[in-house]
Amino acid sequence: MDSPPAAPAAPAAPTSAPARFRWGPYASVFGLLFLFGTETFLVSPLLPTIATDLRIAESAAAYGVTAYVLVYAVCAPFLGLVSDHVGRRRTLLAGSVLFLLSNVTAALSDGLTLLVVSRALAGLAAAAAGPAIWAHLAETTEDTVRGRALGLGMAFFSCGQVLGVPLGGFLAGATGWRAAFWAMAVGTLVVVPMLLARIPAAKAARPAVGMGGRAVFAAWGHGALRRSLLVNTAFNAANLGAYTFMGVVLADRFDLSVTALGLIGVLVGAGSIVGSTLGGRLGDRARAQGRTDQPLLAVWGLLLAVGIALTVWGPGPVLALLGVGVWFVASGGFVTDQQTLAGTAAPELRATSSAWLTSTMYAGTGLGAWAVGLFADLTLGTAVIGVGLAVVAALGGLLVSARLRRGAEPAGAVGAAESA
């Protein structure tokens, strides 16, 4: 739907302080991100209740979580390419309808098969709508406020963990686990009309890349994006790979109860919200001063290393919890900067690039968790893999910034993928 890529523009001249961001027109997409954030984390705390009600093992019920992640990771790049061709409104509408159906199906599940199908549908819905949301935010906001727009989007996603998951758990405890999914369906019904009203139908235009198999991987042909995706993999191998075992580490160190570990989840979400909004504001300020090279990517990597080290080695629970906060401030800031980069480095590949960010995030998470699991001492493994790969990501962030400082890709570099 975009015209062929134009020659790269010169870096923006320094301006005054960033303009004010009007978030009202984006309330519907922020609402959908909140629902997606809730959905991502909703099933795990409900697994025991779901397993008991459906008379299946908890390990079998966990297939629903696996189905969501796998479908998203595999399908997102392809559906991101579709969004780059047919427009944001269509993919957002299709993803929202699928999301509604997935939650209704989950609420009506009477066995393992239907539950897994519902979670796979939810992953497909998020894979369609998620990249389209980030692309829509990037292409409809001015450069001076783009970071804050994307940061707010990530903050609303994180709010789904901080507020949505506890609310879903409360509903499940009061009226049964199905009520949580019915609530998600109702929330989606509220958001869809707002999406239709706020996102106009785009006029069709000649797409910059084709729909062939190579086009899905076009983002990997862009130097800065390729480096960014590799850094994203390393960062999340450290970040979410180590997070897989954070509860185990803290429970072993301080003999924390399940309730206390659950409250730490709120701290994780709160740190992500702070990091997302802070990253957006700092990024906008840097661009207002003429900096377009994402210099903070390396900073977030170093902060992640410090946060993980404090969590694992910090003397006493106070410093360990401070480490958790620093850890996820770094996580939120990094994700916001990465989404900003994906939305600006190659405008004709916005949704595809955003989709690859999520896919490499899941790949990094799996690799990191596997690597930590190789250690007999999980505390040592979390420290070695988490801190080590965070430093690698920081060094990679310096390479990304250096590539951006040298200039954008030549015109048409990412449009060389074959058409269908």
Side-chain angles (χ1 to χ4, degrees), residues 7-15 143 286-293 403-408:
T15 64
D143 188 59
R287 283 184 293 280
Q289 297 170 353
R291 297 289 303 275
T292 59
D293 56 348
R403 178 76 185 200
L404 291 171
R405 280 196 299 273
R406 285 200 298 269

Side-chain angles (χ1 to χ4, degrees), residues 19-406:
R20 183 178 178 182
F21 172 64
R22 293 175 58 248
W23 67 272
Y26 298 95
S28 57
V29 292
F30 289 158
L32 195 57
L33 283 170
F34 176 85
L35 293 173
F36 284 161
T38 302
E39 184 88 359
T40 302
F41 299 101
L42 181 62
V43 173
S44 293
L46 299 181
L47 279 179
T49 305
I50 293 173
T52 299
D53 186 60
L54 297 183
R55 298 179 181 177
I56 58 178
E58 290 183 15
S59 58
Y63 292 155
V65 177
T66 304
Y68 180 96
V69 171
L70 284 179
V71 170
Y72 192 119
V74 172
C75 295
F78 297 91
L79 293 176
L81 181 63
V82 171
S83 176
D84 284 330
H85 275 256
V86 306
R88 312 309 174 203
R89 180 184 171 95
R90 292 177 182 175
T91 44
L92 276 171
L93 181 59
S96 299
V97 171
L98 272 177
F99 192 64
L100 172 63
L101 290 175
S102 72
N103 282 289
V104 171
T105 303
L108 296 175
S109 295
D110 58 357
L112 179 61
T113 300
L114 202 56
L115 177 68
V116 171
V117 168
S118 75
R119 306 310 303 145
L121 279 176
L124 189 64
I133 288 176
W134 299 117
H136 170 69
L137 288 170
E139 66 196 7
T140 59
T141 51
E142 297 179 5
D143 188 59
T144 52
V145 296
R146 184 171 295 129
R148 270 173 290 174
L150 293 165
L152 270 175
M154 187 53 60
F156 271 90
F157 183 88
S158 298
C159 277
Q161 179 184 7
V162 177
L163 299 176
V165 173
L167 286 174
F170 173 78
L171 277 175
T175 60
W177 63 269
R178 300 175 194 275
F181 292 102
W182 283 121
M184 295 292 293
V186 171
T188 309
L189 277 175
V190 172
V191 167
V192 169
M194 297 168 61
L195 282 172
L196 293 175
R198 286 294 185 178
I199 302 179
K203 184 184 256 185
R206 178 159 100 65
V209 293
M211 285 290 287
R214 287 179 60 189
V216 176
F217 298 92
W220 290 91
H222 185 287
L225 285 176
R226 180 173 60 253
R227 287 169 173 78
S228 173
L229 292 172
L230 291 173
V231 170
N232 194 57
T233 305
F235 185 94
N236 283 294
N239 175 28
L240 299 178
Y243 175 64
T244 303
F245 299 95
M246 186 182 73
V248 175
V249 170
L250 291 176
D252 286 347
R253 292 193 66 199
F254 306 114
D255 195 26
L256 297 181
S257 66
V258 174
T259 302
L261 291 173
L263 291 175
I264 289 173
V266 176
L267 178 60
V268 167
S272 298
I273 292 170
V274 172
S276 299
T277 53
L278 179 64
R281 287 185 175 276
L282 291 176
D284 286 343
R285 191 171 298 278
R287 283 184 293 280
Q289 297 170 353
R291 297 289 303 275
T292 59
D293 56 348
Q294 298 291 0
L296 289 175
L297 287 179
V299 175
W300 301 129
L302 290 177
L303 271 181
L304 177 65
V306 170
I308 294 175
L310 277 175
T311 302
V312 176
W313 288 320
V318 174
L319 279 180
L321 292 178
L322 175 63
V324 173
V326 172
W327 180 339
F328 283 92
V329 166
S331 176
F334 177 86
V335 171
T336 298
D337 274 359
Q338 285 281 55
Q339 288 290 357
T340 304
L341 174 58
T344 55
E348 69 281 4
L349 295 172
R350 282 189 173 109
T352 311
S353 301
S354 176
W356 275 113
L357 280 179
T358 305
S359 291
T360 52
M361 178 192 76
Y362 284 137
T365 301
L367 287 171
W370 169 78
V372 173
L374 293 177
F375 287 76
D377 183 342
L378 292 178
T379 298
L380 177 63
T382 300
V384 171
I385 299 301
V387 175
L389 288 180
V391 172
V392 170
L395 295 174
L398 291 176
L399 294 177
V400 172
S401 296
R403 178 76 185 200
L404 291 171
R405 280 196 299 273
R406 285 200 298 269

